[in-house]
Amino acid sequence: MASPLPHLLPQNPLSSSASSTLFRPIRTLPPSHCRRPRARPRCVSAALQWGRKPQLSGETPRVVVVTSGKGGVGKTTTTANLGVSLARHGFSVVAVDADAGLRNLDLLLGLENRVNYTAAEVLNGDCRLDQALVRDRRFPSLQLLCLSKARSKLPLAFGAKALTWVVDALRSRESDSPHFVLIDCPAGIDAGFITAIAPANEAVLVTTPDITALRDADRVTGLLECDGIRDIKMVVNRVRTDLIRGEDMMSVLDVQEMLGLPLLGVIPEDAEVIRSTNRGYPLVLNKPPSIAGLAFEQAAWRLIEQDTMTAVMVEEEPKKRGFFSFFGG
Ligand code: ADP
Ligand code: MG
C-alpha cells in the first residue's frame, strides 16, 4: 500500500551525512505539503516589545484548537501557557479541555479542585453554562471548561455538534463573550479530534522535531484543511539547540520546510516546564522568567496579533547571534 507520506519515510535524516544545512536529503524529496502555500516570512513585530500592549487582530471570539496528532508533544502545556498569557494581557479566555478521556488542563492550571460541573452536565440540563466555567483567581478573565468529569466516559451524545453548541453559547453571551476560546485537543484523529476541531476557525499545531510527531502533524494538517480550517500555525516544542548543532535533532527550519506552516513559536526543552506542570503553576508566571516561559509569552503575543516568526539556523554564528537568536530573527 502506498504510504501517505513518502517524503517522511525514506531515510532517517539523522543518519545523513553532515552538510552545511541539516538533513538536506529530506528537503530535496517532493513534500506532500506542496499543495499548501509556503509560509511567507513576515517581519517579526511581536518579539519582546515590553513597552506596548499587543493589539488584538481578527474577529472575536477567536476559536483556536491546539492540536498535534501525536500525544505527549505539549498541547496541554501550550494551551495552559497561551491561555494564561492572553489573560494576563487583559483578554478574556475560555480554555476548553476537550481531552475528555484523559483530561489534565485543570491540573496544569491548578484548578482541579474547583471543577464541580462540566459541559456534559450543561448539555444534560443539570447546570447552567456559567456554573461549569471555572474562573482562575489569579486572572479572572481566564476560565476553564471541562467536557466531562475526570473519571467519567464522555457520553456518546457529546460530539462535534455538542461542542459547537457550547462554543456558540459562549459566543452569544452578551456581556461576557470571550476574546479567545482555546480548545485543548486530544491526541489521535478519531472522534475526540473531530469533536475538538469542529467549532474552531484557527489551529495551533504543536509538534516536536522528531519524525513520528512530524508525520502525525502532516496528517493532522491535511485533516484540518479538509475541515475548512485554513489558519494553521505551528509551535515547535522541546527543541534542543545542542542536539541540533550536533545534528542529532532536526532544526526548526527543517520542520518548517517539511510541514510548510507559518511558525507561531519555538519552545526549548526546559526542566522548568515539568516543574510548573507538577505545581499547577503555568510557566509564563515564573519570575524570573525561564527561556521556555519567554518563548510561550512571545507565541501568545503572535497569536493575539496574528503574527508569525521566522526560524533561524541555530548552527549559524551562535556566538554572534546570542541568546535571542533561539526565538527567531
Ligand atoms: P500533550 O497534551 O500533547 O499530551 P503535555 O502538554 O501533557 O502533552 O506534555 C507532555 C509532557 O511533556 C508533560 O510532562 C510536560 O511537562 C512535558 N513537556 C512539554 N513541553 C515541554 C518542554 N518544552 N520542556 C520539557 N518538558 C515539556
Ligand atoms: Mg494533553
Side-chain angles (χ1 to χ4, degrees):
M1 204 175 83
S3 158
L5 285 169
H7 69 290
L8 291 181
L9 292 177
Q11 288 140 310
N12 178 354
L14 305 182
S15 65
S16 66
S17 60
S19 59
S20 62
T21 55
L22 294 179
F23 317 130
R24 196 173 288 286
I26 277 188
R27 287 184 183 182
T28 54
L29 289 166
S32 69
H33 65 257
C34 59
R35 291 166 269 122
R36 294 191 285 278
R38 280 291 318 282
R40 197 184 296 167
R42 288 174 47 189
C43 118
V44 183
S45 58
L48 290 172
Q49 297 180 17
W50 305 119
R52 71 175 182 93
K53 276 186 82 82
Q55 301 299 307
L56 182 60
S57 168
E59 224 175 88
T60 58
R62 289 181 43 199
V63 185
V64 184
V65 63
V66 181
T67 185
S68 70
K70 188 168 188 270
V73 296
K75 293 178 292 298
T76 307
T77 307
T78 303
T79 311
N81 283 289
L82 289 182
V84 169
S85 276
L86 296 175
R88 195 159 54 169
H89 283 301
F91 299 105
S92 54
V93 182
V94 174
V96 180
D97 191 339
D99 197 340
L102 298 167
R103 121 184 169 199
N104 49 22
L105 185 57
D106 54 334
L107 288 172
L108 265 73
L109 290 170
L111 297 174
E112 69 276 14
N113 294 328
R114 296 187 42 219
V115 182
N116 295 323
Y117 294 108
T118 65
E121 279 139 328
V122 177
L123 284 172
N124 283 340
D126 296 338
C127 69
R128 296 186 312 272
L129 180 57
D130 56 300
Q131 289 176 297
L133 291 168
V134 183
R135 209 174 271 281
D136 191 317
R137 292 205 179 103
R138 297 161 293 197
F139 300 102
S141 63
L142 173 65
Q143 298 178 96
L144 169 72
L145 178 66
C146 297
L147 286 202
S148 66
K149 295 267 189 230
R151 284 164 199 239
S152 74
K153 282 199 170 164
L154 190 67
L156 282 178
F158 207 115
K161 276 192 185 162
L163 187 58
T164 306
W165 180 86
V166 169
V167 171
D168 285 343
L170 290 169
R171 190 179 275 129
S172 60
R173 299 173 93 204
E174 269 172 27
S175 56
D176 214 6
S177 173
H179 294 112
F180 288 90
V181 178
L182 297 183
I183 303 173
D184 182 22
C185 186
I189 51 169
D190 51 18
F193 168 78
I194 305 292
T195 299
I197 68 170
N201 33 42
E202 32 187 310
V204 172
L205 187 87
V206 183
T207 186
T208 47
D210 61 84
I211 205 143
T212 51
L214 287 172
R215 174 190 274 185
D216 293 356
D218 191 77
R219 175 100 174 91
V220 161
T221 306
L223 293 173
L224 291 170
E225 286 175 345
C226 286
D227 202 58
I229 302 176
R230 301 263 148 211
D231 185 348
I232 309 169
K233 298 193 180 80
M234 68 172 177
V235 166
V236 186
N237 190 22
R238 307 195 80 151
V239 173
R240 286 187 53 180
T241 47
D242 56 335
L243 293 185
I244 294 173
R245 284 203 189 97
E247 302 198 1
D248 292 317
M249 181 179 265
M250 277 177 239
S251 71
V252 177
L253 270 180
D254 284 300
V255 172
Q256 205 174 9
E257 288 264 330
M258 289 170 82
L259 293 180
L261 294 173
L263 195 54
L264 186 71
V266 178
I267 318 294
E269 171 86 26
D270 186 346
E272 277 304 316
V273 177
I274 296 158
R275 240 171 255 140
S276 77
T277 300
N278 291 333
R279 283 164 52 212
Y281 190 79
L283 195 70
V284 288
L285 298 177
N286 279 1
K287 284 189 186 137
S290 66
I291 303 181
L294 278 173
F296 275 124
E297 181 70 27
Q298 290 187 10
W301 195 300
R302 291 186 197 101
L303 184 69
I304 296 165
E305 300 200 330
Q306 295 191 318
D307 197 3
T308 54
M309 67 181 281
T310 45
V312 294
M313 302 279 289
V314 291
E315 63 269 54
E316 219 177 76
E317 301 177 76
K319 279 194 186 128
K320 195 170 153 201
R321 286 179 173 276
F323 172 77
F324 289 109
S325 68
F326 187 87
F327 301 111

